[in-house]
Amino acid sequence: MTAIENPDTSTEKFGRDHFNDFDLDSPEFNEHYTEVLDELVSKCPVAHSNVGRGYHVLSRYADVRRASQDWEHFSSAEGYQPNRPKDMAPIYPDECDPPYQTRWRRALDYHLSPRVVRSYEAAVTQHANFLIDEFIADGECDFIAGFAAALPGRAWFNSFLGRPLEDLPPLMTAIEHALVGPIEGRADGWAELVGYLDAHLKEREKEPPRNDLTGAVLKGVDLDDGVNPELGPGFEFELGAPCPWEHKVAALANLTAGGLGTATLLLAGMAHHLATHPEDRARLAENEELHDKAVEEFVRAYASVVAMSRTVRGEVEIAGQTFQDGDRVLLLYPAACRDPEMYENPTKLDIDRNLPVNAAFGFGPHRCIGSHLARLLAKVTLRVLLDRLPDFALAPGCEPTYQTSVTREIQGLRLIFEPGSPIGADL
Ligand code: HEM
């Protein structure tokens, strides 16, 4: 592969040659995150990685969109990770192609549609108020553990899946181990989460059918092309036969894992921005009609899914480069979100921005199924924060840190505020 010209200054400034030796998991990418994204968008539309079996990286809006839409050349059926562990069970609808993927989306989309998601707004607001009640008298909080990591979990397990709140503490620990803990503990954390979801489905199977998200998962879909027979269990299948139980558990696991950490960065990023930009906070406090637009901009600015992988089928040209059958290609969404060809002055977080399409949620058949839930969580958080902690600021010395891989995680956001009284949020 021909090396891409990369001025020495770039390597010096950003710790490694991200054009020719990109690594999604590298400390250098994590540390110089936004600068590297901007360098890639402006100078290197196709970067290369030598990690594992190697992969290419698309960073511009138009290229990420095209590859996402062209699922026949850019398949998801070999997994969303660039170097997928061989023993990992596949998740659906993420790790398959149409028509099987389309069947799952048809089955599930309605249950995460704007209309259905809106019906949970009051419950999500109660959860948010409950969490604030827990720390408001202290005048300070760990905003990640106390709110941004907790709210998505409560909304998902309690409101959407109808699970009891007492199940949450051990479950959230398992999820933390599965998604952001040390690599050696991830398989155990994942197994615990999948075991819990399997038991939830088995419990619900004994009850009369219900028209909700769990009901749709239980009903399942018929098998069809688009599944990779080499991945995971249950693959001696007949086209048109009902999908195996493992696929139902995998669909619920996909929804669960897709929605928790991703929403945490969004909520925490939003709180961090408002704590450090009092002028934006004042405008949002006075003008609730600005909230929807601002939330959309927070989603763009804190695009929490960093990259999803595709496998090339056949030969295809994109961004002036020809890819060969079997090549792995990474779609770098936060870079697409910072492409000046699409978004004017993209490095600025502008709460008045009009966003015709939000690249943070992806494009094409796999475009985020949970986007309306993510927006609702952010909208409720914005309203409740402005209402109940109107003067919140960063605690002295607080500097959040980040961890970057397929998703981006935030740690250490401490807030201080004038102590207030619990309102006795009723759950
Ligand atoms: C700010 C929050 C979120 C961001 C930035 C985000 C981003 C994305 C992106 C970029 C994709 C496309 C993946 C691809 O093309 O391969 C995606 C897919 C997906 N997201 Fe989200 N997401 C968020 C929240 C959620 C939530 C709350 C849920 C849970 C309900 C969720 C569940 C999923 C699932 C299941 C998929 C796979 C869809 C498919 O393959 O058809 N996401 N998300």
Side-chain angles (χ1 to χ4, degrees), residues 68 76 80 92-95 101 105 112 156 254-256 258-260 262-263 266 299 302-305 308-310 331 333 359-363 365-371 373-374 377:
S68 305
S76 295
Y80 70 87
Y92 304 113
D94 223 337
E95 299 187 310
Q101 188 265 353
R105 291 298 295 251
L112 287 157
W156 182 249
N254 194 171
L255 289 164
T256 304
L260 299 180
T262 51
L266 170 60
V299 171
Y302 298 100
S304 44
V305 172
M308 287 280 161
S309 202
R310 298 291 192 266
L331 311 178
Y333 305 102
F361 287 128
F363 310 89
H366 291 274
R367 186 173 160 80
C368 182
I369 194 172
S371 60
L373 174 56
L377 291 165

Short mmCIF file of all heavy atoms in Angstrom, two decimals, residues 68 76 80 92-95 101 105 112 156 254-256 258-260 262-263 266 299 302-305 308-310 331 333 359-363 365-371 373-374 377, ligand 1:
data_model
loop_
_atom_site.label_atom_id
_atom_site.label_comp_id
_atom_site.label_asym_id
_atom_site.label_seq_id
_atom_site.Cartn_x
_atom_site.Cartn_y
_atom_site.Cartn_z
N SER A 68 -22.23 3.74 3.91
CA SER A 68 -23.32 3.25 4.77
C SER A 68 -24.54 2.85 3.94
O SER A 68 -25.25 1.90 4.27
CB SER A 68 -23.78 4.34 5.75
OG SER A 68 -22.73 4.83 6.50
N SER A 76 -22.19 -5.50 6.60
CA SER A 76 -22.06 -5.50 8.07
C SER A 76 -22.01 -6.91 8.63
O SER A 76 -21.90 -7.09 9.85
CB SER A 76 -23.26 -4.77 8.70
OG SER A 76 -23.25 -3.42 8.33
N TYR A 80 -19.17 -5.45 13.56
CA TYR A 80 -18.97 -4.00 13.65
C TYR A 80 -17.59 -3.60 14.13
O TYR A 80 -17.22 -2.44 14.10
CB TYR A 80 -20.05 -3.37 14.55
CG TYR A 80 -19.91 -3.72 16.01
CD1 TYR A 80 -19.09 -2.95 16.84
CD2 TYR A 80 -20.56 -4.81 16.57
CE1 TYR A 80 -18.95 -3.27 18.18
CE2 TYR A 80 -20.41 -5.14 17.90
CZ TYR A 80 -19.61 -4.35 18.71
OH TYR A 80 -19.44 -4.69 20.02
N TYR A 92 -27.78 -8.60 16.39
CA TYR A 92 -28.66 -8.19 15.28
C TYR A 92 -29.54 -7.05 15.74
O TYR A 92 -29.96 -7.04 16.89
CB TYR A 92 -29.54 -9.37 14.84
CG TYR A 92 -28.73 -10.58 14.47
CD1 TYR A 92 -28.78 -11.74 15.23
CD2 TYR A 92 -27.88 -10.54 13.37
CE1 TYR A 92 -28.01 -12.84 14.90
CE2 TYR A 92 -27.11 -11.64 13.04
CZ TYR A 92 -27.17 -12.77 13.81
OH TYR A 92 -26.39 -13.85 13.48
N PRO A 93 -29.80 -6.06 14.87
CA PRO A 93 -29.61 -6.01 13.42
C PRO A 93 -28.25 -5.47 12.97
O PRO A 93 -28.02 -5.34 11.78
CB PRO A 93 -30.72 -5.05 12.97
CG PRO A 93 -30.97 -4.16 14.14
CD PRO A 93 -30.65 -4.95 15.37
N ASP A 94 -27.35 -5.20 13.94
CA ASP A 94 -26.08 -4.57 13.58
C ASP A 94 -25.22 -5.44 12.67
O ASP A 94 -24.61 -4.94 11.72
CB ASP A 94 -25.30 -4.30 14.88
CG ASP A 94 -24.67 -2.93 14.88
OD1 ASP A 94 -24.46 -2.40 13.80
OD2 ASP A 94 -24.38 -2.41 15.97
N GLU A 95 -25.12 -6.74 12.98
CA GLU A 95 -24.14 -7.58 12.30
C GLU A 95 -24.77 -8.50 11.26
O GLU A 95 -24.52 -9.70 11.23
CB GLU A 95 -23.32 -8.36 13.34
CG GLU A 95 -22.57 -7.39 14.26
CD GLU A 95 -21.60 -8.06 15.21
OE1 GLU A 95 -21.99 -9.02 15.89
OE2 GLU A 95 -20.45 -7.62 15.27
N GLN A 101 -31.64 -8.01 7.88
CA GLN A 101 -31.56 -6.80 8.71
C GLN A 101 -32.85 -5.99 8.58
O GLN A 101 -33.38 -5.46 9.55
CB GLN A 101 -30.33 -5.99 8.27
CG GLN A 101 -30.00 -4.81 9.16
CD GLN A 101 -30.59 -3.49 8.64
OE1 GLN A 101 -31.15 -3.46 7.54
NE2 GLN A 101 -30.47 -2.44 9.42
N ARG A 105 -35.50 -4.61 11.40
CA ARG A 105 -35.85 -3.19 11.56
C ARG A 105 -37.36 -2.99 11.44
O ARG A 105 -37.96 -2.21 12.18
CB ARG A 105 -35.09 -2.34 10.53
CG ARG A 105 -33.60 -2.25 10.79
CD ARG A 105 -33.31 -1.58 12.13
NE ARG A 105 -33.71 -0.20 12.16
CZ ARG A 105 -32.90 0.86 12.16
NH1 ARG A 105 -31.60 0.66 12.16
NH2 ARG A 105 -33.37 2.08 12.21
N LEU A 112 -39.49 2.06 18.78
CA LEU A 112 -38.57 3.15 19.14
C LEU A 112 -38.84 4.38 18.27
O LEU A 112 -37.96 5.23 18.08
CB LEU A 112 -37.12 2.67 19.00
CG LEU A 112 -36.71 1.71 20.12
CD1 LEU A 112 -35.55 0.83 19.69
CD2 LEU A 112 -36.38 2.45 21.40
N TRP A 156 -34.14 2.51 30.13
CA TRP A 156 -34.18 1.33 29.28
C TRP A 156 -34.78 0.13 30.02
O TRP A 156 -35.76 -0.48 29.59
CB TRP A 156 -32.77 1.01 28.75
CG TRP A 156 -32.76 -0.17 27.84
CD1 TRP A 156 -32.20 -1.39 28.10
CD2 TRP A 156 -33.37 -0.26 26.55
NE1 TRP A 156 -32.43 -2.23 27.04
CE2 TRP A 156 -33.14 -1.57 26.08
CE3 TRP A 156 -34.08 0.63 25.76
CZ2 TRP A 156 -33.60 -2.02 24.85
CZ3 TRP A 156 -34.55 0.20 24.52
CH2 TRP A 156 -34.31 -1.11 24.08
N ASN A 254 -28.26 -6.19 21.41
CA ASN A 254 -27.83 -5.10 20.53
C ASN A 254 -28.49 -3.79 20.95
O ASN A 254 -27.84 -2.75 21.10
CB ASN A 254 -28.21 -5.46 19.08
CG ASN A 254 -27.54 -4.58 18.03
OD1 ASN A 254 -27.64 -4.87 16.84
ND2 ASN A 254 -26.87 -3.52 18.42
N LEU A 255 -29.79 -3.85 21.17
CA LEU A 255 -30.51 -2.63 21.58
C LEU A 255 -29.98 -2.11 22.92
O LEU A 255 -29.78 -0.91 23.10
CB LEU A 255 -32.00 -2.94 21.71
CG LEU A 255 -32.73 -3.19 20.40
CD1 LEU A 255 -34.08 -3.85 20.67
CD2 LEU A 255 -32.94 -1.88 19.64
N THR A 256 -29.76 -3.04 23.84
CA THR A 256 -29.34 -2.64 25.19
C THR A 256 -27.94 -2.03 25.16
O THR A 256 -27.72 -0.93 25.67
CB THR A 256 -29.36 -3.88 26.12
OG1 THR A 256 -30.67 -4.44 26.07
CG2 THR A 256 -29.02 -3.51 27.55
N GLY A 258 -26.35 -0.87 22.60
CA GLY A 258 -26.28 0.29 21.71
C GLY A 258 -26.69 1.58 22.39
O GLY A 258 -26.30 2.67 21.97
N GLY A 259 -27.49 1.47 23.45
CA GLY A 259 -28.11 2.67 23.98
C GLY A 259 -27.57 3.21 25.27
O GLY A 259 -27.90 4.33 25.65
N LEU A 260 -26.71 2.46 25.97
CA LEU A 260 -26.38 2.92 27.31
C LEU A 260 -25.17 3.86 27.34
O LEU A 260 -25.32 5.04 27.60
CB LEU A 260 -26.19 1.71 28.24
CG LEU A 260 -27.47 0.85 28.38
CD1 LEU A 260 -27.24 -0.33 29.30
CD2 LEU A 260 -28.66 1.65 28.88
N THR A 262 -23.57 5.16 24.92
CA THR A 262 -23.68 6.22 23.91
C THR A 262 -24.44 7.42 24.47
O THR A 262 -24.04 8.56 24.30
CB THR A 262 -24.43 5.70 22.67
OG1 THR A 262 -25.65 5.10 23.09
CG2 THR A 262 -23.61 4.69 21.90
N ALA A 263 -25.53 7.12 25.18
CA ALA A 263 -26.32 8.22 25.74
C ALA A 263 -25.57 8.90 26.88
O ALA A 263 -25.71 10.11 27.10
CB ALA A 263 -27.67 7.70 26.21
N LEU A 266 -23.45 11.67 25.61
CA LEU A 266 -24.30 12.78 25.17
C LEU A 266 -24.74 13.63 26.37
O LEU A 266 -24.61 14.86 26.37
CB LEU A 266 -25.51 12.22 24.41
CG LEU A 266 -26.63 13.19 24.07
CD1 LEU A 266 -26.12 14.32 23.17
CD2 LEU A 266 -27.78 12.46 23.37
N VAL A 299 -25.79 16.23 20.05
CA VAL A 299 -25.58 14.88 19.48
C VAL A 299 -24.43 14.93 18.47
O VAL A 299 -23.56 14.05 18.44
CB VAL A 299 -26.87 14.36 18.80
CG1 VAL A 299 -26.58 13.08 18.03
CG2 VAL A 299 -27.99 14.14 19.81
N TYR A 302 -20.99 15.66 20.41
CA TYR A 302 -20.53 14.56 21.27
C TYR A 302 -20.92 13.22 20.63
O TYR A 302 -21.48 12.35 21.29
CB TYR A 302 -21.11 14.70 22.68
CG TYR A 302 -20.63 15.98 23.34
CD1 TYR A 302 -21.45 17.11 23.39
CD2 TYR A 302 -19.35 16.07 23.86
CE1 TYR A 302 -20.99 18.29 23.95
CE2 TYR A 302 -18.89 17.25 24.42
CZ TYR A 302 -19.71 18.36 24.47
OH TYR A 302 -19.25 19.53 25.02
N ALA A 303 -20.63 13.10 19.35
CA ALA A 303 -21.00 11.89 18.60
C ALA A 303 -20.33 10.68 19.25
O ALA A 303 -19.12 10.49 19.13
CB ALA A 303 -20.55 12.04 17.15
N SER A 304 -21.09 9.88 19.96
CA SER A 304 -20.48 8.90 20.86
C SER A 304 -20.14 7.57 20.19
O SER A 304 -19.33 6.82 20.71
CB SER A 304 -21.40 8.66 22.06
OG SER A 304 -22.74 8.54 21.63
N VAL A 305 -20.76 7.25 19.06
CA VAL A 305 -20.30 6.07 18.31
C VAL A 305 -19.16 6.56 17.41
O VAL A 305 -19.38 7.35 16.49
CB VAL A 305 -21.43 5.42 17.50
CG1 VAL A 305 -20.88 4.32 16.60
CG2 VAL A 305 -22.47 4.83 18.45
N MET A 308 -17.87 2.32 13.11
CA MET A 308 -18.43 1.00 12.86
C MET A 308 -17.74 0.46 11.60
O MET A 308 -17.38 1.22 10.70
CB MET A 308 -19.93 1.09 12.60
CG MET A 308 -20.72 1.39 13.83
SD MET A 308 -20.96 -0.13 14.78
CE MET A 308 -21.36 0.55 16.34
N SER A 309 -17.63 -0.85 11.56
CA SER A 309 -16.84 -1.47 10.52
C SER A 309 -17.71 -2.06 9.41
O SER A 309 -18.85 -2.44 9.65
CB SER A 309 -16.10 -2.61 11.22
OG SER A 309 -14.99 -2.96 10.53
N ARG A 310 -17.16 -2.14 8.22
CA ARG A 310 -17.80 -2.82 7.11
C ARG A 310 -16.76 -3.73 6.45
O ARG A 310 -15.56 -3.47 6.54
CB ARG A 310 -18.31 -1.81 6.06
CG ARG A 310 -19.37 -0.84 6.56
CD ARG A 310 -20.69 -1.54 6.85
NE ARG A 310 -21.78 -0.61 7.05
CZ ARG A 310 -22.19 -0.14 8.24
NH1 ARG A 310 -21.58 -0.51 9.34
NH2 ARG A 310 -23.22 0.68 8.31
N LEU A 331 -16.00 3.37 9.38
CA LEU A 331 -16.71 4.61 9.12
C LEU A 331 -16.59 5.49 10.36
O LEU A 331 -17.10 5.12 11.44
CB LEU A 331 -18.19 4.32 8.81
CG LEU A 331 -18.42 3.21 7.78
CD1 LEU A 331 -19.92 2.97 7.58
CD2 LEU A 331 -17.76 3.56 6.45
N TYR A 333 -17.72 8.26 12.25
CA TYR A 333 -18.86 9.21 12.33
C TYR A 333 -18.50 10.58 12.91
O TYR A 333 -18.93 11.59 12.37
CB TYR A 333 -20.02 8.59 13.12
CG TYR A 333 -20.46 7.27 12.56
CD1 TYR A 333 -20.08 6.08 13.16
CD2 TYR A 333 -21.24 7.20 11.42
CE1 TYR A 333 -20.47 4.85 12.64
CE2 TYR A 333 -21.63 5.98 10.88
CZ TYR A 333 -21.24 4.81 11.51
OH TYR A 333 -21.61 3.61 10.98
N ALA A 359 -24.98 13.32 11.14
CA ALA A 359 -24.10 12.18 10.80
C ALA A 359 -23.80 11.32 12.02
O ALA A 359 -23.37 10.17 11.88
CB ALA A 359 -22.80 12.70 10.20
N ALA A 360 -24.01 11.84 13.22
CA ALA A 360 -23.70 11.07 14.44
C ALA A 360 -24.53 9.79 14.52
O ALA A 360 -24.13 8.82 15.17
CB ALA A 360 -23.95 11.92 15.67
N PHE A 361 -25.72 9.78 13.92
CA PHE A 361 -26.58 8.59 13.97
C PHE A 361 -26.39 7.67 12.76
O PHE A 361 -27.12 6.69 12.61
CB PHE A 361 -28.05 9.00 14.07
CG PHE A 361 -28.45 9.57 15.42
CD1 PHE A 361 -29.10 10.79 15.52
CD2 PHE A 361 -28.18 8.87 16.59
CE1 PHE A 361 -29.47 11.32 16.75
CE2 PHE A 361 -28.56 9.38 17.83
CZ PHE A 361 -29.20 10.60 17.92
N GLY A 362 -25.44 7.98 11.88
CA GLY A 362 -25.18 7.13 10.73
C GLY A 362 -26.20 7.35 9.62
O GLY A 362 -27.01 8.27 9.66
N PHE A 363 -26.11 6.47 8.62
CA PHE A 363 -26.95 6.61 7.41
C PHE A 363 -27.37 5.22 6.94
O PHE A 363 -26.76 4.22 7.30
CB PHE A 363 -26.16 7.24 6.26
CG PHE A 363 -25.43 8.49 6.63
CD1 PHE A 363 -24.14 8.43 7.13
CD2 PHE A 363 -26.03 9.73 6.47
CE1 PHE A 363 -23.46 9.59 7.46
CE2 PHE A 363 -25.37 10.89 6.80
CZ PHE A 363 -24.08 10.82 7.30
N PRO A 365 -29.41 1.70 5.83
CA PRO A 365 -30.25 0.73 6.53
C PRO A 365 -29.94 0.58 8.02
O PRO A 365 -30.83 0.26 8.79
CB PRO A 365 -29.97 -0.59 5.79
CG PRO A 365 -28.81 -0.36 4.91
CD PRO A 365 -28.69 1.11 4.68
N HIS A 366 -28.68 0.81 8.42
CA HIS A 366 -28.33 0.62 9.83
C HIS A 366 -28.44 1.90 10.65
O HIS A 366 -28.06 1.91 11.82
CB HIS A 366 -26.91 0.07 9.97
CG HIS A 366 -26.75 -1.33 9.47
ND1 HIS A 366 -26.99 -2.44 10.24
CD2 HIS A 366 -26.39 -1.81 8.25
CE1 HIS A 366 -26.77 -3.54 9.55
NE2 HIS A 366 -26.40 -3.18 8.32
N ARG A 367 -28.93 2.99 10.04
CA ARG A 367 -29.02 4.26 10.79
C ARG A 367 -29.65 4.00 12.16
O ARG A 367 -30.59 3.21 12.30
CB ARG A 367 -29.84 5.29 10.00
CG ARG A 367 -29.85 6.66 10.65
CD ARG A 367 -30.52 7.69 9.76
NE ARG A 367 -30.96 8.85 10.54
CZ ARG A 367 -30.17 9.84 10.94
NH1 ARG A 367 -28.90 9.83 10.61
NH2 ARG A 367 -30.65 10.84 11.65
N CYS A 368 -29.14 4.71 13.16
CA CYS A 368 -29.48 4.39 14.56
C CYS A 368 -30.97 4.22 14.83
O CYS A 368 -31.77 5.14 14.60
CB CYS A 368 -28.92 5.47 15.47
SG CYS A 368 -29.23 5.11 17.20
N ILE A 369 -31.32 3.08 15.36
CA ILE A 369 -32.72 2.80 15.70
C ILE A 369 -33.12 3.53 16.99
O ILE A 369 -34.30 3.77 17.24
CB ILE A 369 -32.91 1.27 15.85
CG1 ILE A 369 -34.39 0.90 15.86
CG2 ILE A 369 -32.23 0.73 17.07
CD1 ILE A 369 -34.63 -0.60 15.81
N GLY A 370 -32.11 3.90 17.80
CA GLY A 370 -32.41 4.50 19.11
C GLY A 370 -32.31 6.01 19.12
O GLY A 370 -32.30 6.63 20.19
N SER A 371 -32.25 6.63 17.93
CA SER A 371 -32.00 8.08 17.89
C SER A 371 -33.08 8.89 18.63
O SER A 371 -32.77 9.86 19.31
CB SER A 371 -31.89 8.57 16.44
OG SER A 371 -33.09 8.30 15.74
N LEU A 373 -34.90 7.89 21.17
CA LEU A 373 -34.72 7.71 22.61
C LEU A 373 -33.55 8.56 23.10
O LEU A 373 -33.63 9.20 24.16
CB LEU A 373 -34.50 6.22 22.92
CG LEU A 373 -34.16 5.90 24.37
CD1 LEU A 373 -35.21 6.44 25.34
CD2 LEU A 373 -34.00 4.39 24.56
N ALA A 374 -32.44 8.57 22.34
CA ALA A 374 -31.29 9.40 22.73
C ALA A 374 -31.71 10.86 22.85
O ALA A 374 -31.37 11.56 23.80
CB ALA A 374 -30.17 9.24 21.71
N LEU A 377 -33.82 11.42 26.02
CA LEU A 377 -33.00 11.45 27.24
C LEU A 377 -32.31 12.80 27.38
O LEU A 377 -32.24 13.37 28.47
CB LEU A 377 -31.96 10.32 27.19
CG LEU A 377 -32.51 8.90 27.32
CD1 LEU A 377 -31.46 7.87 26.89
CD2 LEU A 377 -32.95 8.61 28.76
C1 HEM B 1 -26.29 9.66 21.25
C2 HEM B 1 -26.61 8.42 21.25
C3 HEM B 1 -26.40 7.48 20.08
C4 HEM B 1 -25.55 7.57 19.01
C5 HEM B 1 -24.55 8.67 18.69
C6 HEM B 1 -25.77 6.39 18.19
C7 HEM B 1 -25.12 6.13 16.98
C8 HEM B 1 -25.40 5.06 16.15
C9 HEM B 1 -24.82 4.85 14.84
C10 HEM B 1 -23.78 5.76 14.19
C11 HEM B 1 -25.36 3.72 14.33
C12 HEM B 1 -25.09 3.14 12.93
C13 HEM B 1 -24.26 1.88 12.95
C14 HEM B 1 -23.94 1.34 11.58
O1 HEM B 1 -24.23 1.96 10.55
O2 HEM B 1 -23.35 0.25 11.54
C15 HEM B 1 -26.24 3.18 15.32
C16 HEM B 1 -26.94 2.00 15.19
C17 HEM B 1 -27.66 1.44 16.23
N1 HEM B 1 -28.01 2.05 17.42
FE1 HEM B 1 -27.47 3.88 18.04
N2 HEM B 1 -26.72 5.61 18.79
C18 HEM B 1 -27.15 6.24 19.94
C19 HEM B 1 -28.13 5.82 20.80
C20 HEM B 1 -28.78 4.62 20.72
C21 HEM B 1 -29.79 4.16 21.63
C22 HEM B 1 -30.39 4.98 22.79
C23 HEM B 1 -30.10 2.87 21.26
C24 HEM B 1 -31.06 1.92 21.92
C25 HEM B 1 -32.28 1.91 21.83
C26 HEM B 1 -29.30 2.56 20.08
C27 HEM B 1 -29.31 1.35 19.41
C28 HEM B 1 -28.73 1.14 18.17
C29 HEM B 1 -28.84 -0.11 17.43
C30 HEM B 1 -29.55 -1.38 17.88
C31 HEM B 1 -28.18 0.09 16.21
C32 HEM B 1 -28.03 -0.92 15.07
C33 HEM B 1 -29.10 -0.65 14.04
C34 HEM B 1 -29.00 -1.53 12.81
O3 HEM B 1 -27.96 -2.17 12.62
O4 HEM B 1 -29.97 -1.58 12.06
N3 HEM B 1 -28.52 3.64 19.78
N4 HEM B 1 -26.27 4.03 16.42
#
